[in-house]
Amino acid sequence: MARKYRVGVIGATGRGDYGHAVDVAFRKLDNVEIVAVADASEAGRVAAQKRTGAPRTYAAYKDLLAKEKPDLVAVCPRWIDQRHDMLMAAAEAGCHIYTEKPFWRTLKECDAVADALDMRHLKLGIAHISQYSPVLDTVLKVIADGVIGDLLEVRARGKEDARGGGEDLWVLGSHVFGLMRSVAGGNAVSCYATVAAQGRAVGRADVKDGAEGLGPLAGDHVQATYAFPKGVQGYFASRKGAAGAPTRFAVQVFGSKGVIELESGYLVKAALLRDAGWSPARSGAKWQSITSAGIDKPEPRTDGTYEGGHVAAITDLIGAIEQRRETKCTARDATAIVEMIAAVFESHRLGKPTELPLKTRVNPLTLL
């Protein structure tokens, strides 16, 4: 008989709540059973119990872990300030984990969680839902098949709304960095970046506590360049109040024979331009769609929602547990994404390119 996984849900009403509906995504799976919810807010516990159908609730998540002994824990809050303690407690209780993104605020704590999981042979899934998209799988095959030639550059921008700059780098940049790593085929090896506030270089006086528990944060304009193996260059930028309509929040992949554009999200369409000059105005080339089925083929799937992304990620996590393999976005992958964020501030602090992996494992803004 197929195993049924006992799931404990951790939320924090008023401090990140239950993320992008992470809790209810588990109800879409037949091989899991939500056994309890933990939330310090009584009203939050009542609402979450109603949504999830959990038979029991706890005010303290450590009590849930101790008494319920779940197989898998959902660390749901969107705010990041409590996540490290929640992740470590779940790992120490011997639980596999599905968590909201980004992973954690500093590389030191990311390392600690990854080590704790490795030591206990535990698996982690994270809500970088783009990593689980079957459209990404098709895009990677198109690149591997040489359709756009030799890979040259990968460009991305954040949403560039009121969060533009440092906050955008953390909250939305983490999504496109995951895609950038997937396309480039590995970790960045160096970063050169500048961070500005109102047109001048960020200094110690500009560092404030960021929203959503992000910790020390600064800057309304970020510009970063990354070097990847095999000569591939990566670019990221975000400027407050510079949002486009439609949004520029996407990854553009430039090759010697063409371009691919892929938005962040689960089962979001991609587009292909077979044009070595990257200029359809000159070449007359037309964009083609890329779906999970291939180039210019209708999308056969209907699960293209944020919830669908959670379900795909949780399914991958359970598959990794049962097959004793890695998830599509491991704790080390999630750490590498945070490292690309931290590298922006470290390069700015040093005023020069910085090599990755970073030697500095604390928030570089605290060292300005």
Side-chain angles (χ1 to χ4, degrees):
M1 293 180 63
R3 178 179 177 183
K4 200 156 193 173
Y5 291 82
R6 301 175 70 256
V7 177
V9 172
I10 299 175
T13 299
R15 295 181 64 188
D17 303 314
Y18 290 78
H20 291 90
V22 174
D23 55 339
V24 295
F26 279 87
R27 297 199 65 179
K28 301 295 182 180
L29 294 159
D30 294 331
N31 56 346
V32 302
E33 174 191 6
I34 299 175
V35 296
V37 171
D39 190 332
S41 163
E42 182 177 0
R45 291 196 301 275
V46 171
Q49 185 176 34
K50 184 176 180 180
R51 286 194 307 271
T52 63
R56 291 171 293 282
T57 67
Y58 295 85
Y61 63 84
K62 290 186 178 179
D63 289 341
L64 182 156
L65 295 171
K67 295 178 181 179
E68 299 291 342
K69 296 180 170 46
D71 303 306
L72 196 157
V73 172
V75 177
C76 302
R78 176 172 172 156
W79 287 20
I80 199 172
D81 55 331
Q82 301 178 85
R83 191 169 301 153
H84 176 258
D85 291 345
M86 292 174 175
L87 294 172
M88 287 297 291
E92 289 166 359
C95 305
H96 303 286
I97 300 170
Y98 183 67
T99 183
E100 261 290 1
K101 61 84 200 166
F103 195 23
W104 180 238
R105 300 192 294 189
T106 71
L107 292 171
K108 181 179 179 180
E109 281 80 7
C110 287
D111 294 339
V113 174
D115 289 344
L117 292 168
D118 285 348
M119 183 173 65
R120 296 169 176 84
H121 305 289
L122 298 170
K123 305 297 183 182
L124 177 131
I126 188 166
H128 286 301
I129 60 171
S130 302
Q131 298 298 292
Y132 307 92
S133 175
V135 176
L136 174 60
D137 294 337
T138 306
V139 166
L140 296 179
K141 185 178 186 305
V142 169
I143 294 171
D145 288 345
V147 175
I148 63 168
D150 296 329
L151 187 59
L152 302 175
E153 301 176 5
V154 187
R155 303 177 188 171
R157 298 189 76 92
K159 284 193 174 178
E160 302 186 277
D161 50 19
R163 299 168 292 182
E167 186 176 350
D168 202 11
L169 171 70
W170 264 108
V171 179
L172 286 312
S174 62
H175 281 302
V176 292
F177 288 147
L179 288 172
M180 197 178 288
R181 290 180 66 252
S182 294
V183 169
N187 294 336
V189 296
S190 71
C191 172
Y192 176 65
T194 58
V195 184
Q198 298 181 339
R200 53 177 175 72
V202 160
R204 179 185 291 271
D206 298 299
V207 180
K208 311 292 182 185
D209 282 338
E212 299 186 7
L214 291 171
L217 192 64
D220 58 22
H221 190 189
V222 168
Q223 299 182 86
T225 303
Y226 298 90
F228 287 92
K230 300 181 181 179
V232 177
Q233 291 294 306
Y235 303 93
F236 175 85
S238 173
R239 185 170 182 171
K240 184 176 181 178
T247 179
R248 293 183 294 273
F249 177 49
V251 169
Q252 294 175 319
V253 185
F254 294 84
S256 60
K257 295 181 181 179
V259 184
I260 291 174
E261 181 170 86
L262 175 62
E263 292 182 62
S264 172
Y266 180 74
L267 209 62
V268 176
K269 282 185 181 179
L272 166 67
L273 181 70
R274 301 179 195 251
D275 177 7
W278 307 344
S279 176
R282 286 184 290 148
S283 69
K286 302 295 184 182
W287 287 92
Q288 298 174 274
S289 67
I290 302 177
T291 68
S292 67
I295 299 171
D296 272 347
K297 293 183 179 180
E299 178 56 66
R301 302 180 60 137
T302 59
D303 58 333
T305 62
Y306 215 110
E307 184 178 83
H310 285 317
V311 170
I314 296 163
T315 300
D316 175 69
L317 171 60
I318 292 173
I321 295 167
E322 295 180 345
Q323 299 161 28
R324 298 185 181 181
R325 59 167 174 82
E326 297 290 358
T327 58
K328 287 188 176 182
C329 192
T330 68
R332 301 295 177 187
D333 291 325
T335 299
I337 290 170
V338 172
E339 191 156 40
M340 292 181 72
I341 297 168
V344 170
F345 298 113
E346 178 69 345
S347 174
H348 175 81
R349 180 180 78 87
L350 297 175
K352 63 180 183 180
T354 183
E355 293 184 355
L356 281 75
L358 293 178
K359 293 181 180 178
T360 299
R361 309 304 279 181
V362 298
N363 188 322
L365 290 174
T366 64
L367 304 177
L368 277 173

